[in-house]
């Protein structure tokens, strides 16, 4: 296969040194591997500004959605009532998960290009004292919109409800202080802003909150509480773990630190995202999301005209080793360009030149 540049929100373009870690076979029972797991758990707390006395990290096999469902399985008892903010496909997925669990839920649906109104949310919570949890997606990669994490966490704190943050596509690429935000559960994945490869996700959870969850899950493999109890002993995963992915992830954490941590990575992402948006505007592609709520992770662009054929455009870019992301807006023709991963200004210079070349060739 060609070595494509993945302009997606993950899986993403990884460094050669991250890939090379997957050449090594590791044994799940070996002390060295269990120590590797423990060191990753500790490093994730540091990245999230969460202290070890009050917070813990649980690694969980599977894709990001597996881990989100694991949290919902574990966090919600039959007496709980969750409010889910939805302005994208991943908010909708959380709603579907809770429906399958048959738990009490208040979904708050918003247009895909709009963030929640804080005062309206306060009214909903104040008028329904049965609400015990709030959940939302920090960066909705459906569009690239960034939801206001500080304000939403503040509502949870004021209302004395627990907060679940799907930070799948933001953790490691946008600074998040879990302790000061008082987050109960933060969820992310190996193949996002920390720039590892797919295979597991993780949850940074408040210890006191997680301790209350024994027996909530009606799934064995998705029981986050049981996974935590086992892993907290010596780093042993309950079931076979993706050992090659874990090794690659440790290298990805090292490379995050070498870049200067989350703050410096965020600056790179932001510079590249600004450059993409500005240059795309010059050649006729308008972003779907307003600047003030646009994340530095991925951008949705509207088709420039009625003649634009995305599949043709996609194949042209793929032929030149760039993989674009289709749009997820049902009523608005669009596509997405992600800029996380091992991507740099020279990559986007070339991308823009190729798009210009495409426009000349097809006359669009």
């Amino acid at each position: 296969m060609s070595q494509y540049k993945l302009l997606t929100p993950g899986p993403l373009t990884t460094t050669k040194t991250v890939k090379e870690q997957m050449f090594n076979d590791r044994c799940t029972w070996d002390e060295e591997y269990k120590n590797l797991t423990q060191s990753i758990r500790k490093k994730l707390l540091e990245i999230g500004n969460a202290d070890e006395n009050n917070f813990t990290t649980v690694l969980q096999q599977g894709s990001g959605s597996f881990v989100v469902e694991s949290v919902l399985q574990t966090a919600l008892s039959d007496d709980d009532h969750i409010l889910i903010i939805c302005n994208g496909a991943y908010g909708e997925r959380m709603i579907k998960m809770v429906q399958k669990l048959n738990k009490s839920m208040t979904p708050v649906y918003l247009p895909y290009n709009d963030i929640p109104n804080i005062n309206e949310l306060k009214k909903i919570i104040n008028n329904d004292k049965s609400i015990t949890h709030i959940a939302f997606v920090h960066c909705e990669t459906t569009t690239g919109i960034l939801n206001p994490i500080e304000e939403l966490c503040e509502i949870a704190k004021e209302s004395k409800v627990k907060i679940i943050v799907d930070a799948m596509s933001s953790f490691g690429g946008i600074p998040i202080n879990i302790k000061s935000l008082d987050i109960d559960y933060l969820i992310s994945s190996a193949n996002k802003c920390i720039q590892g490869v797919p295979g597991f996700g993780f949850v940074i959870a408040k210890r006191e909150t997680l301790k209350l969850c024994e027996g909530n899950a009606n799934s064995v493999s998705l029981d986050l509480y049981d996974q935590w109890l086992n892993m907290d002993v010596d780093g042993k995963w309950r079931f076979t773990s993706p050992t090659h992915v874990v090794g690659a992830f440790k290298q990805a954490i090292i490379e995050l630190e070498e870049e200067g941590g989350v703050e410096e990575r965020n600056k790179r992402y932001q510079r590249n995202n600004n450059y993409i948006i500005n240059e795309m505007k010059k050649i006729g592609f308008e972003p779907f999301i307003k600047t003030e709520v646009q994340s530095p992770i991925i951008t949705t662009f509207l088709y420039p005209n009625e003649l634009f054929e995305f599949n043709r455009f996609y194949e042209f870019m793929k032929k030149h080793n760039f993989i674009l992301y289709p749009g997820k807006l049902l009523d608005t023709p669009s596509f997405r360009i992600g800029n996380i991963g091992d991507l740099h200004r020279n990559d986007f210079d070339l991308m823009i030149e190729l798009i210009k070349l495409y426009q000349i060739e097809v006359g669009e």
Side-chain angles (χ1 to χ4, degrees):
M1 287 183 64
S2 299
Q3 287 296 316
Y4 295 116
K5 298 287 185 178
L6 302 182
L7 307 180
T8 72
L12 37 70
T13 302
T14 54
T15 63
K16 180 184 177 185
T17 41
V18 165
K19 294 181 183 76
E20 285 173 344
Q21 284 298 314
M22 292 188 288
F23 290 133
N24 300 321
D25 297 319
R26 297 171 174 87
C27 173
T28 57
W29 285 92
D30 185 73
E31 286 301 317
E32 186 176 342
Y33 180 72
K34 289 190 286 186
N35 290 339
L36 172 61
T37 297
Q38 295 292 61
S39 69
I40 287 172
R41 295 177 68 208
K42 186 173 181 179
K43 281 292 183 183
L44 287 171
L45 290 177
E46 293 173 11
I47 293 168
N49 299 287
D51 65 283
E52 206 165 357
N53 290 329
N54 295 303
F55 294 88
T56 187
T57 309
V58 191
L59 311 184
Q60 181 71 291
Q61 297 94 327
S63 71
S65 292
F66 281 60
V67 188
V68 171
E69 190 157 9
S70 176
V71 169
L72 295 173
Q73 278 270 0
T74 305
L76 301 177
S77 72
D78 291 337
D79 298 325
D80 287 321
H81 179 171
I82 186 168
L83 181 151
I84 299 179
I85 298 162
C86 175
N87 55 355
Y90 299 97
E92 289 178 357
R93 190 173 295 175
M94 278 201 282
I95 289 169
K96 187 180 291 187
M97 289 172 181
V98 175
Q99 286 172 337
K100 287 285 186 181
L101 289 170
N102 200 28
K103 305 292 185 182
S104 297
M105 172 179 56
T106 296
V108 178
Y109 292 100
L110 302 166
Y112 278 15
N113 61 348
D114 199 7
I115 61 172
N117 182 298
I118 300 302
N119 290 329
E120 288 181 7
L121 286 177
K122 286 181 178 178
K123 286 179 185 176
I124 293 170
I125 296 167
N126 289 336
N127 290 335
D128 190 343
K129 298 303 181 183
S130 71
I131 292 173
T132 55
H133 294 71
I134 300 174
F136 70 95
V137 179
H138 185 202
C139 175
E140 254 290 0
T141 55
T142 305
T143 59
I145 200 166
L146 194 66
N147 282 313
I149 188 170
E150 290 85 4
E151 291 91 336
L152 293 171
C153 288
E154 186 59 33
I155 288 178
K157 193 184 297 185
E158 288 176 1
S159 306
K160 294 182 171 54
V161 300
K162 296 178 175 62
I163 188 99
I164 299 170
V165 181
D166 176 342
M168 204 66 61
S169 297
S170 60
F171 186 79
I174 297 174
I176 299 174
N177 192 313
I178 293 171
K179 183 178 181 179
S180 67
L181 292 173
D182 203 27
I183 295 171
D184 290 279
Y185 303 92
L186 180 138
I187 311 158
S188 193
S189 180
N191 60 296
K192 300 290 185 174
C193 294
I194 296 180
Q195 299 183 180
V197 298
F200 75 91
F202 54 88
V203 182
I204 299 177
K206 201 182 289 183
R207 287 181 179 272
E208 289 306 312
T209 302
L210 195 52
K211 285 177 182 177
L212 301 174
C213 296
E214 182 178 7
N216 283 351
N218 58 13
S219 164
V220 174
S221 59
L222 296 180
D223 189 340
L224 189 75
Y225 177 84
D226 200 39
Q227 182 88 337
W228 171 53
L229 286 189
N230 281 264
M231 189 169 282
D232 221 33
V233 175
D234 60 358
K236 179 72 174 64
W237 301 57
R238 283 185 302 160
F239 312 122
T240 302
S241 61
T243 54
H244 300 81
V245 176
V246 173
F249 189 68
K250 180 58 186 292
Q251 177 63 27
I253 290 176
I254 291 169
E255 293 176 16
L256 172 65
E257 292 175 335
E258 290 173 347
E259 187 170 351
V262 178
E263 289 74 14
E264 290 303 314
R265 181 156 292 177
N266 176 255
K267 289 176 185 177
R268 170 164 64 88
Y269 287 172
Q270 192 68 68
R271 284 194 303 269
N272 288 335
N273 185 259
N274 290 341
Y275 174 77
I276 292 167
I277 291 172
N278 291 335
E279 293 301 312
M280 289 292 282
K281 282 182 176 180
K282 291 177 186 177
I283 54 178
F285 294 88
E286 289 295 324
F288 177 67
I289 297 297
K290 291 182 288 189
T291 302
E292 54 266 30
V293 291
Q294 170 66 52
S295 76
I297 307 300
I298 188 169
T299 307
T300 294
F301 289 98
L302 305 176
Y303 287 6
N305 53 58
E306 292 181 358
L307 298 176
F308 182 80
E309 296 180 24
F310 176 74
N311 289 339
R312 186 177 179 183
F313 178 48
Y314 178 91
E315 291 301 329
F316 175 89
M317 296 299 289
K318 182 178 179 180
K319 186 173 72 174
H320 292 87
N321 295 326
F322 283 91
I323 300 292
L324 298 171
Y325 219 44
K328 268 202 171 185
L329 305 176
L330 296 178
D331 301 324
T332 309
S334 63
F335 65 94
R336 292 170 287 172
I337 298 178
N339 55 269
I340 63 176
D342 185 35
L343 297 170
H344 304 274
R345 175 62 178 271
N346 60 311
D347 297 308
F348 297 110
D349 284 338
L350 177 57
M351 180 198 78
I352 294 295
E353 290 306 310
L354 287 169
I355 295 174
K356 289 178 181 177
L357 179 61
Y358 173 80
Q359 290 176 314
I360 294 170
E361 285 192 9
V362 302
E364 291 181 0

